[in-house]
């Protein structure tokens, strides 16, 4: 039945207007691709803040700093379409709370993770019902956090972790062909951000954990600049890659890493990372080097995570003193 108290939208989907670039030739559009100005082992700056949602037991907000090319495009735009996107997400933790009476007895804490894209988070609009990619991210996040939380401390209790992705990493540059990338590379950066933000929110909720867990991403990409000059393309190992900055991503890896215990709770490899498939005989480009690169990226994110948790502890200590 139609709701007559409001103006309903059209029954079919609508497509927003897309404005063409101001460049005259199609060949000049390739120059709009953002270029990586960071060193291969240099990470983007991360903003992480806890305690932003008072109604939740713990919360955190994470945001990656846009690349230099994106900042320059905003200051002197040649097109109304941004060259790449940043990563912005919010995490809330509710619990531990008692399980319903109808639930079966559980001697450990029951962990539930829910990852959902906002409708405007990606270039392709997301629906209200979670799709396969969002459920996949929830499974990976649950696996990463299950090895960190001391679950036997809360029997017959549940913990709900909800992550809302406000802006997601793109899988490719918007000017590439739709079938140029056959893998969702942006999901790996999203998963790494979800792991870091969830760890900060769990610490903000004062839930006992073995260690703080941070997410890191590393990828093997081809040297596009050399290929455009007519030279042979050489694969390179890059940390914290932005898929929009690279035309060809050969393989990628994301890990959930605990530095104090030197343990990996979750690992996700995508692509063909064997040296034979890369056409090189270099030990620095094998799967072990790819995992080590992701671990180094997680170490960098861990430093930001520690500072955010320390700010949360100081704020909690200040509230406790004022209440007393």
């Amino acid at each position: 039945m139609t709701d007559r108290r409001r103006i309903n939208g059209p029954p079919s989907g609508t497509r927003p207007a897309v404005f063409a670039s101001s460049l005259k030739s199609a060949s000049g559009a390739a120059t709009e691709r953002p270029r990586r100005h960071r060193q291969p082992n240099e990470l983007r700056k991360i903003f992480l803040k806890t305690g932003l949602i008072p109604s939740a037991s713990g919360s955190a907000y994470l945001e990656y700093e846009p690349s230099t090319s994106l900042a320059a495009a905003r200051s002197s735009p040649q097109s109304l379409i941004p060259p790449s996107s940043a990563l912005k997400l919010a995490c809330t933790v509710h619990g531990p709370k008692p399980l319903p009476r109808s639930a079966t007895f559980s001697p450990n804490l029951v962990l539930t993770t829910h990852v959902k894209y906002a409708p405007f988070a990606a270039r392709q609009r997301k629906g209200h019902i979670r799709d396969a990619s969002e459920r996949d991210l929830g499974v990976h996040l649950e696996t990463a956090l299950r090895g960190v939380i001391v679950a036997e401390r809360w029997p017959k209790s549940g913990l709900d972790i909800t992550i809302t992705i406000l802006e997601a990493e793109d899988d490719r540059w918007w000017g590439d062909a739709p079938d140029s990338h056959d893998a969702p590379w942006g999901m790996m950066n999203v998963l790494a951000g979800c792991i870091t933000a969830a760890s900060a929110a769990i610490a903000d909720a004062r839930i006992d954990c073995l260690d703080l867990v941070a997410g890191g991403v590393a990828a093997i990409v081809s040297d596009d600049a050399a290929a455009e000059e007519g030279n042979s393309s050489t694969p390179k190992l890059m940390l914290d890659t932005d898929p929009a900055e690279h035309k060809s991503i050969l393989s990628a890896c994301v890990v959930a890493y605990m530095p104090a215990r030197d343990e990996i709770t979750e690992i996700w490899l995508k692509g063909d990372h064997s040296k034979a498939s890369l056409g090189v005989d270099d030990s620095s480009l094998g799967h072990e080097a790819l995992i080590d690169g992701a671990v180094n990226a997680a170490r960098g994110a861990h430093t930001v995570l520690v500072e955010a948790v320390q700010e949360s502890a100081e704020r909690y200590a200040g509230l406790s003193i004022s209440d007393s």
Side-chain angles (χ1 to χ4, degrees), residues 118 122 140 215 233 289 296:
H140 283 289
S233 178
N296 292 333

Side-chain angles (χ1 to χ4, degrees), residues 57-105:
S57 302
S59 60
Y61 173 79
L62 182 139
E63 180 177 341
Y64 280 13
E65 183 188 36
S67 58
T68 306
S69 57
L70 180 56
R74 288 175 176 174
S75 60
S76 59
Q78 294 179 334
S79 174
L80 296 179
I81 304 176
S84 62
S85 63
L87 179 63
K88 301 180 181 69
L89 56 90
C91 177
T92 58
V93 174
H94 297 275
K97 55 186 179 181
L99 293 175
R101 292 181 178 272
S102 59
T104 59
F105 173 79

